[in-house]
Amino acid sequence: MEPANLQTGSAIARIIVARRAQLPIRVGFAVLMVATFHIYIGMTEAMQWAAVYLGLQVLEVAAFRSIDNATAVTGTTSFLFYAIMLTSSSVFTAFGLLEAYQGGVWGIACAGILWTGSIATAAIVSGESRGALTCSLLPPLLAFLAVPYFILSSGGSAGDSIAMVLAGLVNACGTLGMWSVYQRLLKSATKAREIGRLALIDSETGLPSRAAVQQRVVALLESRPTGIVVVAAINVDRFQHLRGAIGHAASIDLMRRLAARLGRACDETPMARLSSANFGFAFVARNIDDAHRVVARLQGAVATPVLLRDNRVDVSVTIGLSQPADAVASATEVSIIDRAMIAMDQARAARKQAAFFDAALYGNPGISLSLMSEMLRALDNGQISLCYQPKYELRSGDIVGAEALVRWTHPEHGALRPDMFVQMAEETGHIAELTEWVLRRAVADQRALHEAGLDVCISVNWSGHLIDDVAFTDAALEIARHATGELCLEVTETAIIGNARLARQTLERFRAAGLTISIDDYGSGLSSLAYLKNIPADELKIDKAFVMHMATDAVDAVLVRSAVSLAHSLGLRVVAEGVENQGALELLRAMGCDIAQGYLIARPMPLSDLATFLGTHAAENAARATAS
């Protein structure tokens, strides 16, 4: 909020600028008055009046010629302006006095009309300044008080005098009321404009806001450009970590510097701040390839460290892109900016630096939400089932285990992706019910295999959302107590790292009950040797992203070899998932990996097929052993 004196000075500056623009109107009106009403006062007196009045107008313009709307008018300048405005209004009013004095009844009538107009005009020319209103209003109002003298001198009655004075007072009251209403409307409009302006600006950084990007999108679409309108959402990777390391104030400075650097990379396009760690902007690209070239420039802009308070800060970004054509049926209610943000998350999940919005990957959240209400019923009516993917021991060639994988065949939507409904179950709090069902089903299926003479370790995925649920841990241990063979719980490293102390306590309870623990998806998160050393685990499962291409990617092969060596040094068994070709299998065998899992071995299959597969594989393995 501005101080009162600063607000007053700004109001006077705006009045001065407005009056300067109105000068031709005042001059023209003065000339018209002289030409029309000189018959009452004489041409000489009229010309003398005009010279004085027009001289005051010239004086006002000359005295305040350097003032514009942005000028903060001082107290001295305000006083001078009030003095000139009061004098100018008094001189204007004096013309009416001359008419009333020399023009008889008609002169008095014309003077009344002139003063009435002057009083009404006061509300228009005074802007937001009460002082300016007083200077404009006072002379014509006082002139009305002199009307009885002129009326009585011309032979009029006291009633006529009183009526004329009352007319002047009513006119003044109406003007004050009109001015008051105008001020309220002006303040309301000013406040609305300020709110609108603030909505377009991020309060912390001073950068344009999300609303500014949306406004820009609308403007671009209305202009019908030759090309495609694209919105880019740019996430500063590890921003929370950076903010914790350098402090909040420095992180804001970092965002400003990054915004300036990114803007320069895109022809000085202003970067908006969509959220604490995200920038965004809209642009027109000739085609998709052109949009990717813009992305390359953005990535290049952050390739060098940012110098921040004598420190060099390394920054990387992940970029999501969206265009109006992305608004398919599943995303019609999601704005183009939100789709760009979703694309940013999709890029990060796919370990890409940038990606366009993928509608198929996004799915249909409306359907997904309704599915959660159906999931509990699906657990009971047979729609949800378990499939098992065998685990192959590289040294012996035996199938030593199988991972239980949940499947949902929906009567309307068909086979649903597990990553979709499992994630939804985690987010809606249904993961406990789903995991309990999987564990009970796995234990029952293991018993069925055991009764058929087939003993294998069954692995069950354990959500990180359950790692600190003591009551559920108790229930799971009670279910596991009925297992007829080895049970293995696969827990992702990110879940372990996020809840290290509770994870250790929970996993130690499972191990004490005879379950084995596998660290799942190793390498996909923030792998930490400190956590790895302290977690009570039996097995390390290397993420398939490193295994699938290791036969053709030397870097992946080196990373897998290092993980195998590290795990063995810690006394852990090693499982490689995502084995899809013979080359990868032979490399894993040469590296000393213990167990392989993937499509090369077998695809996930129902329990009945697993029993057949285990029997057939055991027979074939025995035949090979006999032959050798």
Side-chain angles (χ1 to χ4, degrees), residues 29-47 49 92 95-96 98-100 102-103 106-115:
F29 194 66
V31 172
L32 181 63
M33 286 170 58
V34 170
T36 304
F37 299 115
H38 73 275
I39 58 175
Y40 295 119
I41 65 176
M43 180 59 76
T44 302
E45 288 84 352
M47 293 300 293
W49 173 85
F92 189 85
F95 192 90
L98 291 171
E99 287 182 305
Q102 298 184 26
W106 285 108
I108 294 171
C110 290
I113 294 172
L114 182 68
W115 295 333

Side-chain angles (χ1 to χ4, degrees), residues 31 73 101 114 126 129 137 154 212 255 269 284 291 307 344 348 365 402 434 443 460 483 504 509 520 523 588:
V31 172
V73 176
Y101 182 69
L114 182 68
S126 301
S129 171
L137 191 61
S154 300
M255 294 298 282
T269 302
V284 176
L307 186 62
M344 184 179 67
R348 183 178 294 105
L434 180 60
V443 168
V460 174
R504 183 179 181 86
R509 291 187 64 193
D520 196 12
L588 289 168

Side-chain angles (χ1 to χ4, degrees), residues 56-354:
L56 284 170
Q57 307 312 305
V58 173
L59 175 63
E60 179 182 330
V61 171
F64 307 116
R65 64 183 179 277
S66 62
I67 291 177
D68 58 28
N69 284 319
T71 304
V73 176
T74 62
T76 303
T77 304
S78 298
F79 180 79
L80 177 61
F81 172 71
Y82 288 148
I84 293 177
M85 193 171 186
L86 179 61
T87 305
S88 180
S89 181
S90 299
V91 171
F92 189 85
T93 302
F95 192 90
L97 291 172
L98 291 171
E99 287 182 305
Y101 182 69
Q102 298 184 26
V105 175
W106 285 108
I108 294 171
C110 290
I113 294 172
L114 182 68
W115 295 333
T116 298
S118 183
I119 289 173
T121 306
I124 300 173
V125 302
S126 301
E128 304 161 61
S129 171
R130 287 187 174 86
L133 178 66
T134 302
C135 292
S136 297
L137 191 61
L138 191 58
L141 182 58
L142 292 175
F144 266 106
L145 298 179
V147 165
Y149 168 76
F150 298 114
I151 291 178
L152 294 174
S153 297
S154 300
S157 66
D160 293 336
S161 301
I162 294 172
M164 197 70 168
V165 171
L166 288 176
L169 292 174
V170 169
N171 190 17
C173 290
T175 297
L176 289 172
M178 184 171 63
W179 184 83
S180 178
V181 170
Y182 168 73
Q183 295 307 308
R184 287 199 298 272
L185 292 174
L186 182 63
K187 288 179 180 178
S188 177
T190 302
K191 184 176 181 181
R193 283 197 303 270
E194 181 64 12
I195 291 173
R197 186 186 69 83
L198 292 175
L200 299 176
I201 297 175
D202 176 65
S203 59
E204 282 190 322
T205 60
L207 298 172
S209 67
R210 177 193 175 102
V213 179
Q214 187 61 49
Q215 193 177 79
R216 169 73 171 160
V217 170
V218 172
L220 289 176
L221 291 174
E222 289 178 348
S223 68
R224 299 183 180 275
T226 55
I228 56 174
V229 176
V230 179
V231 170
I234 307 166
N235 175 256
V236 180
D237 299 332
R238 304 178 298 111
F239 180 73
Q240 289 186 342
H241 173 75
L242 282 171
R243 184 168 57 188
I246 65 179
H248 181 75
S251 70
I252 296 301
D253 191 17
L254 174 65
M255 294 298 282
R256 291 194 192 99
R257 291 172 183 266
L258 283 174
R261 189 183 284 192
L262 292 167
R264 287 193 296 270
C266 295
D267 302 322
E268 301 300 332
T269 302
M271 289 291 134
R273 193 183 189 201
L274 302 182
S275 61
S276 62
N278 297 319
F279 297 112
F281 73 105
F283 63 99
V284 176
R286 291 188 297 275
N287 47 47
I288 297 297
D289 290 338
D290 188 36
H292 282 297
R293 283 190 286 271
V294 172
V295 168
R297 292 203 301 270
L298 292 170
Q299 293 287 358
V302 298
T304 56
V306 179
L307 186 62
L308 189 66
R309 302 181 184 182
D310 298 327
N311 293 309
R312 294 164 65 86
V313 180
D314 290 309
V315 176
S316 62
V317 296
T318 302
I319 302 174
L321 303 165
S322 181
Q323 56 176 319
D326 291 333
V328 295
S330 64
T332 52
E333 297 181 0
V334 183
S335 73
I336 189 171
I337 298 176
D338 288 328
R339 293 198 300 272
M341 299 276 280
I342 293 168
M344 184 179 67
D345 292 334
Q346 291 174 341
R348 183 178 294 105
R351 297 176 185 171
K352 297 179 180 178
Q353 290 185 325

Side-chain angles (χ1 to χ4, degrees), residues 587-604:
L587 276 175
L588 289 168
R589 182 178 281 113
M591 291 175 183
C593 181
D594 301 296
I595 297 172
Q597 177 183 345
Y599 286 176
L600 180 67
I601 311 303
R603 290 177 175 271

Side-chain angles (χ1 to χ4, degrees), residues 462-470 473 489 491-512 517-519 531-532 534-537:
W462 197 261
S463 170
H465 288 70
L466 301 173
I467 205 75
D468 57 354
D469 190 333
V470 177
T473 299
L489 298 184
V491 185
T492 62
E493 58 169 338
T494 51
I496 296 171
I497 292 173
N499 306 275
R501 184 180 60 83
L502 288 171
R504 183 179 181 86
Q505 293 175 356
T506 301
L507 298 182
E508 283 179 342
R509 291 187 64 193
F510 283 129
R511 288 191 81 196
I517 305 298
S518 176
I519 300 175
Y531 285 115
L532 193 59
N534 293 317
I535 290 298

